[in-house]
Amino acid sequence: MRLVIARCSVDYAGRLTAHLPSAPRLILVKADGSVSIHADDRAYKPLNWMSPPCALKVGTGDDEGIWTVVNKAGEKLIITMEEILHDSSYELGVDPGLIKDGVEAHLQELLADRIEILGEGHTLIRREYPTAIGPVDILCRDAEGRTVAVELKRRGDIDGVEQLTRYLELLNRDPHLAPVRGVFAAQEIKPQARVLATDRGIGCVVLDYDAMRGIEDDKLRLF
């Protein structure tokens, strides 16, 4: 990972345009190729970013001080450096991944045993399918034999969709698996996450934890 603190301005050109005026900011360049721009607020959320796969070109000569990040869709993130205050790189190695809480881990186990919840004819390939950026919760095949990557959450928000997007971009580079489609499965899916998932062609499945465990709802139901 490369960490750069610099006074810079940032321009994004793609489906829309955006401009960040000159200010001190933190720039993260990760081993997966992603580049994100951060201010000293907003918690963990970047001001702007480019998800992998993308390419970073550092300008020289007349373009010295200009970083251009281009993704596969041709969208550009242009960072104009005015003054670099800090520049360091660290090798973090392979991350062991998030240790899931009991409910989330149990959801994964239950869904793997009842994979037909995703649709008739689905078959399990494996749980915790390893990739270079972390394990995919569940990898399976649908009735037509197409590969499906499943990201599981208790509460599904935008970060989970972004995580699954990164897995899909990586898995679809493997000719033995491609094409790979995604399914975002959770006990609750936030509206914003559902909109983002739909926009990216990712399916959404709401899981009933009690029903999956075989516990009947004791509330009266009207049919």
Side-chain angles (χ1 to χ4, degrees):
M1 178 184 290
R2 184 178 179 185
L3 299 90
V4 178
I5 299 175
R7 178 173 291 277
C8 63
S9 60
V10 183
D11 292 278
Y12 170 80
R15 288 175 289 181
L16 49 81
T17 59
H19 174 72
L20 295 173
S22 176
R25 298 188 174 93
L26 168 65
I27 303 165
L28 297 181
V29 183
K30 295 187 178 180
D32 64 3
S34 63
V35 178
S36 55
I37 318 294
H38 298 261
D40 201 11
D41 61 5
R42 296 167 57 92
Y44 58 89
K45 294 186 177 181
L47 296 166
N48 214 326
W49 69 94
M50 194 70 82
S51 299
C54 56
L56 168 62
K57 178 183 177 182
V58 178
T60 58
D62 293 340
D63 292 331
E64 186 175 3
I66 298 177
W67 291 17
T68 305
V69 188
V70 183
N71 67 10
K72 63 181 181 181
E75 299 168 319
K76 293 183 179 180
L77 191 65
I78 302 169
I79 308 167
T80 303
M81 303 289 190
E82 298 170 15
E83 180 184 8
I84 293 180
L85 307 172
H86 175 84
D87 189 348
S88 60
S89 297
Y90 300 90
E91 179 59 54
L92 301 183
V94 178
D95 191 88
L98 180 67
I99 298 175
K100 301 178 185 296
D101 65 27
V103 172
E104 200 165 307
H106 197 205
L107 272 173
Q108 184 190 109
E109 180 182 347
L110 289 169
L111 185 57
D113 288 341
R114 298 163 176 78
I115 201 67
E116 67 278 358
I117 289 173
L118 300 179
E120 187 177 351
H122 279 62
T123 56
L124 179 69
I125 296 176
R126 69 166 289 176
R127 295 166 51 193
E128 298 289 330
Y129 185 87
T131 76
I133 58 174
V136 177
D137 286 333
I138 289 178
L139 200 69
C140 60
R141 295 195 187 279
D142 63 18
E144 285 74 41
R146 296 171 297 188
T147 310
V148 181
V150 184
E151 179 64 24
L152 277 164
K153 299 291 182 187
R154 277 205 300 167
R155 294 178 179 85
D157 56 21
I158 284 178
D159 289 341
V161 178
E162 292 286 2
Q163 183 179 359
L164 178 55
T165 299
R166 292 192 293 271
Y167 287 141
L168 290 172
E169 288 172 344
L170 188 64
L171 291 169
N172 272 299
R173 299 179 199 173
D174 186 338
H176 299 292
L177 297 175
V180 185
R181 66 179 179 89
V183 170
F184 190 49
Q187 289 178 271
E188 172 192 358
I189 299 177
K190 301 293 181 63
Q192 300 93 330
R194 186 180 291 274
V195 169
L196 182 61
T198 301
D199 182 66
R200 295 183 176 179
I202 294 171
C204 292
V205 174
V206 176
L207 300 174
D208 186 329
Y209 183 47
D210 287 340
M212 291 170 71
R213 291 188 295 163
I215 299 176
E216 291 293 335
D217 189 347
D218 60 1
K219 296 179 182 177
L220 291 175
R221 300 179 183 179
L222 294 177
F223 294 94

